[in-house]
Amino acid sequence: MRPIKLFIFTLLAFTLPLQANIRLPKLISDGMILQRDADVNVWGWADANEKIAVSIDGKNYKTIADASGNWKVVLKPHKAGGSFSMILTGNNKIEINNILFGDVWLCSGQSNMELPMSRVKILYEYELSTIEYFNIRTFNVPQKYNFKTPETNYQYGNWQQVNPQSILNFSAVAFFFAKELYEKYRIPIGIINASLGGSPVQAWMSEEALKAFPDELAEAYKWRNDELIKQTESHDAQISNAWYAEANKKDAGLGNPLWCSVDLNDSDWQTIEIPGYWGDKFSEIKNGVVWFRREFTISKEDAGKKAFLNMGRIVDADSVFINGKCVGNVTYQYPPRWYNVPEKLLKEGRNQITVRVVSNAGNGGFVPEKQYELTTADNIIYLGGVWKMKQGCEMPVLPGQTFIRWKPLGLYNAMIAPLNNYVKKGIVWYQGESNTGKPEEYTSLLTTMIADWRSKFNQKKLPFIFAQLPNFMEEKSEPSESNWATFRVSQSKVLSVPNTGMSVNIDIGEWNDIHPLNKKDVGLRLAKIAQKVAYGEKIIAVAPFVKSAKMVDNKIVITFNRLGNCLSTFDGKNPREFAIAGNDGKFAWATAEIHGNKVIVYHQSVTKPIKVRYAWADNPGNPNLTDTEGNFVSPFQIYVK
């Protein structure tokens, strides 16, 4: 009889429907921060018609999963604080712990939002060594694309509390933004970081939003072809792998002897001043691999001890050797070259440093006006100056990559759509560098995206705060056209959308780095905007914006749009970076003077000016126009009436 019973039991096990466990999105997990003072969604998946119970802080909620197994409960508004535990019960039981109620901010954009604290650690050693904020937490969204359908969950991810270890992976801008708000209001701050380097705004827009931009939507539809993606990625990888394999094969510096050897005879090598680019000085040096060597001296006190090597930035990739031993390498041009030198490597007297540089396109070398130095316990050894140089091999230009992940729609579907249900305090956006090629269209793109995100999040008035692009690239001695200046104006026009705010950063960029290291001031300025836009503070968070310009006695009188906050300059001098043009369209630097809330601009040789510009350049030389609160005036151009 037992075998028959066992058979019947087994048969029933295969024929009876299995009960599904409650499942939760990755966002609903231990350590999460939920939005205070608001109806908050908690959602997930279960069996069709399964009864779900949710309890938190003595409050109980019930719901029933729909026919597809989707369910949601809405928690009543809760004041800031915690921590709390949440119990969810259905066919199974789940307990979520260490929950806080506070303010949740979505921080999104491209590389300057993505850039982690580890990339700026030299500037913020105090924050890295001592910071431990139980009430500041981040959820880093996995970087992924999907052109076919909006996703409902992330493959992985968890909430992390800020401490000296986790902060290294925290967006630097987002951290300083969160830290400022936390210290101001003493409420928990949660950051959802959904950002990806190089991404244009179109990649963050939904299918519905892209319908207003048919060409972009057509491009998105093109990449719904899995075979096309596979072929493109495979093709790009094959070309890249073959290029680097050929470079390594041809590189004489990897032969015998190795060019990083201490005792190498380099008497036939050329000399070059570092920093700088080899193409500016030696036309015969081409793309490929170029080696650099020099000696430096270590004192008896520093010999054998740890040290820190700062090799600025190098275009494109590098491997650095000290006394023949590799101390680090970076495979692309943007990160700073910060390398730790281990104990026992440095010796008293003469030491050898060798740098192997791989340049796959453009002008390779060492970025000017960066730091190149070795820091020991007691000394700083400057490594700029004369180096020896020799080409290891010449290579053709490496064809550009397709970067499928930057195509329209993909990032919205995979990185934004899964958090549609998660209630937020606001959005912080730092993006635009990848859209400066067509600056005029940005206003429409970003305005459309803001409206769409608010609709998808079901938060029609959700504050949207964004960073205006800072100064970048070489200064120009004469007034000239500028895509970046045009782009900044396009950003300013987005302020016509209600509940938006923009931080002006025209003074804190770096001419030689699209990723300026000063992320603290960016975060603080964005937090100041948030205090006004999202928290209703009666503060002056931005300088006045230009309103009109008219001719008076052959001078241009510029009026700004807010009274009660006088104009000033941060250095007490007359305003700089003003230019005016007549009917011929040729701009000339002009004299500018502040008179209360107006600026008077003139130039003796331009008798009938029709247009005036301020800080109109990729990198304006030294803009100084502010208000009395120290807020910088946004770059502008305006016609004279």
Side-chain angles (χ1 to χ4, degrees):
M1 291 297 294
R2 287 183 180 178
I4 294 174
K5 288 183 177 180
L6 180 61
F7 172 78
I8 294 172
F9 178 80
T10 305
L11 182 62
L12 288 172
F14 279 100
T15 57
L16 291 175
L18 296 176
Q19 289 185 325
N21 287 332
I22 300 173
R23 292 184 297 113
L24 297 172
K26 297 297 183 182
L27 283 165
I28 308 295
S29 56
D30 289 345
M32 67 179 172
I33 294 182
L34 296 174
Q35 181 57 43
R36 64 173 175 133
D37 302 331
D39 291 338
V40 172
N41 301 317
V42 175
W43 73 98
W45 307 273
D47 263 346
N49 304 315
E50 184 175 346
K51 295 180 179 179
I52 312 294
V54 178
S55 64
I56 182 172
D57 194 25
K59 297 180 176 65
N60 299 305
Y61 305 86
K62 293 182 179 180
T63 190
I64 299 176
D66 66 18
S68 299
N70 300 302
W71 61 266
K72 181 174 72 173
V73 299
V74 180
L75 307 185
K76 294 179 181 179
H78 197 294
K79 66 180 181 180
S83 65
F84 302 100
S85 293
M86 179 185 292
I87 305 295
L88 302 100
T89 307
N91 293 333
N92 60 316
K93 183 178 180 180
I94 298 175
E95 182 173 349
I96 303 174
N97 298 306
N98 193 16
I99 301 169
L100 302 179
F101 283 87
D103 285 342
V104 178
W105 286 88
L106 168 59
C107 294
S108 188
Q110 57 182 112
S111 53
N112 275 305
M113 179 61 82
E114 177 188 3
L115 193 142
M117 286 290 288
S118 60
R119 286 268 294 269
V120 294
K121 60 186 179 181
I122 288 181
L123 276 67
Y124 307 113
E125 292 182 356
Y126 172 79
E127 284 84 355
L128 288 168
S129 63
T130 64
I131 206 72
E132 190 142 11
Y133 283 119
F134 174 81
N135 289 318
I136 298 179
R137 300 176 184 180
T138 185
F139 185 100
N140 288 329
V141 171
Q143 295 177 336
K144 182 187 174 186
Y145 61 79
N146 183 336
F147 299 103
K148 293 182 178 179
T149 183
E151 298 190 9
T152 58
N153 198 7
Y154 299 121
Q155 290 181 322
Y156 57 89
N158 62 285
W159 286 91
Q160 290 189 325
Q161 174 187 326
V162 172
N163 58 48
Q165 292 73 44
S166 67
I167 196 174
L168 291 172
N169 295 321
F170 208 118
S171 159
V173 167
F175 168 71
F176 287 114
F177 173 83
K179 177 175 179 288
E180 182 73 2
L181 292 182
Y182 174 72
E183 292 182 346
K184 170 74 174 177
Y185 298 109
R186 290 292 165 179
I187 59 170
I189 302 293
I191 298 294
I192 300 174
N193 177 15
S195 51
L196 178 67
S199 55
V201 65
Q202 296 93 320
W204 298 100
M205 298 173 67
S206 74
E207 183 174 359
E208 290 77 12
L210 288 171
K211 288 178 180 178
F213 308 94
D215 290 345
E216 303 292 348
L217 187 59
E219 181 70 8
Y221 288 161
K222 170 185 173 181
W223 294 101
R224 287 182 168 176
N225 185 330
D226 292 338
E227 187 60 29
L228 174 63
I229 291 176
K230 181 179 178 180
Q231 291 177 358
T232 303
E233 290 179 337
S234 176
H235 178 261
D236 285 354
Q238 288 176 6
I239 291 176
S240 179
N241 292 340
W243 192 95
Y244 284 100
E246 183 68 13
N248 291 337
K249 180 180 178 181
K250 293 172 60 178
D251 182 11
L254 296 179
N256 188 13
L258 293 170
W259 288 4
C260 63
S261 302
V262 175
D263 56 356
L264 180 77
N265 181 1
D266 57 15
S267 59
D268 63 337
W269 288 33
Q270 297 171 282
T271 59
I272 186 173
E273 285 278 342
I274 287 178
Y277 301 103
W278 61 67
D280 295 341
K281 303 171 184 178
F282 299 94
S283 60
E284 69 273 19
I285 303 295
K286 308 296 183 181
N287 288 313
V289 181
V290 183
W291 292 74
F292 300 83
R293 290 167 58 89
R294 67 159 286 173
E295 291 183 345
F296 61 94
T297 302
I298 289 293
S299 67
K300 181 179 180 180
E301 292 75 20
D302 288 328
K305 296 180 181 178
K306 294 180 180 179
F308 176 75
L309 178 63
N310 185 347
M311 287 303 293
R313 277 186 52 236
I314 298 174
V315 181
D316 292 291
D318 65 281
S319 299
V320 180
F321 306 83
I322 291 183
N323 295 331
K325 180 178 177 62
C326 184
V327 295
N329 76 292
V330 173
T331 59
Y332 64 111
Q333 65 173 287
Y334 294 115
R337 270 55 175 182
W338 295 338
Y339 302 129
N340 292 314
V341 180
E343 291 180 341
K344 300 181 181 180
L345 185 56
L346 297 176
K347 58 185 180 180
E348 182 181 357
R350 292 191 302 175
N351 290 256
Q352 183 77 44
I353 180 170
T354 305
V355 182
R356 180 182 187 253
V357 179
V358 180
S359 172
N360 54 42
N363 201 0
F366 299 77
V367 175
E369 295 187 25
K370 291 288 185 179
Q371 290 179 308
Y372 298 86
E373 58 192 25
L374 180 73
T375 302
T376 66
D378 301 309
N379 296 290
I380 297 177
I381 301 169
Y382 177 61
L383 294 176
V386 178
W387 286 58
K388 291 192 172 183
M389 173 187 71
K390 188 172 183 178
Q391 180 137 36
C393 70
E394 182 179 335
M395 292 288 294
V397 172
L398 176 64
Q401 191 176 341
T402 306
F403 294 111
I404 298 171
R405 62 184 180 270
W406 295 345
K407 299 299 182 180
L409 176 62
L411 300 185
Y412 170 82
N413 278 349
M415 297 180 68
I416 299 299
L419 54 85
N420 282 351
N421 280 329
Y422 208 89
V423 179
K424 311 158 194 70
K425 179 70 174 181
I427 301 167
V428 183
W429 178 255
Y430 190 165
Q431 188 277 336
E433 297 91 340
S434 293
N435 286 94
T436 55
K438 297 180 179 179
E440 293 86 356
E441 69 181 19
Y442 192 74
T443 303
S444 179
L445 286 164
L446 188 59
T447 298
T448 302
M449 192 199 82
I450 293 171
D452 187 63
W453 280 20
R454 286 173 170 174
S455 176
K456 294 293 195 300
F457 299 160
N458 197 27
Q459 293 183 262
K460 302 299 185 183
K461 298 181 179 180
L462 189 66
F464 190 97
I465 295 160
F466 56 99
Q468 189 181 64
L469 293 190
N471 46 310
F472 175 55
M473 293 181 281
E474 292 187 17
E475 295 179 21
K476 301 290 180 63
S477 59
E478 297 297 329
S480 61
E481 298 303 314
S482 165
N483 272 15
W484 277 57
T486 305
F487 186 86
R488 295 184 190 109
V489 170
S490 291
Q491 289 182 293
S492 299
K493 292 178 180 178
V494 177
L495 294 172
S496 63
V497 178
N499 291 336
T500 59
M502 181 185 75
S503 67
V504 177
N505 305 299
I506 197 63
D507 61 311
I508 54 176
E510 297 179 34
W511 77 267
N512 56 3
D513 201 333
I514 200 170
H515 304 120
L517 297 183
N518 184 358
K519 293 295 185 278
K520 184 173 184 177
D521 282 334
V522 178
L524 296 183
R525 292 180 187 185
L526 289 166
K528 189 176 182 181
I529 303 293
Q531 290 173 38
K532 184 174 181 65
V533 175
Y535 294 89
E537 297 284 350
K538 304 298 183 182
I539 59 173
I540 298 173
V542 294
F545 280 80
V546 66
K547 181 179 181 181
S548 63
K550 64 178 182 179
M551 283 291 301
V552 178
D553 298 331
N554 209 38
K555 294 182 178 180
I556 304 172
V557 179
I558 303 174
T559 302
F560 291 79
N561 68 354
R562 191 178 68 238
L563 300 177
N565 180 26
C566 290
L567 295 168
S568 183
T569 57
F570 74 83
D571 54 8
K573 299 179 180 179
N574 280 344
R576 295 184 291 268
E577 301 298 325
F578 277 90
I580 60 176
N583 287 319
D584 60 2
K586 295 180 179 179
F587 281 88
W589 297 123
T591 301
E593 300 170 355
I594 295 174
H595 291 265
N597 284 322
K598 301 180 187 297
V599 174
I600 296 178
V601 183
Y602 56 93
H603 190 289
Q604 290 181 347
S605 65
V606 184
T607 56
K608 292 183 179 180
I610 63 170
K611 188 185 288 188
V612 58
R613 289 173 170 175
Y614 168 68
W616 194 266
D618 300 331
N619 181 18
N622 196 4
N624 64 340
L625 186 60
T626 66
D627 61 11
T628 50
E629 299 290 323
N631 302 306
F632 275 77
V633 170
S634 178
F636 64 83
Q637 69 173 353
I638 189 168
Y639 283 93
V640 180
K641 295 181 180 179

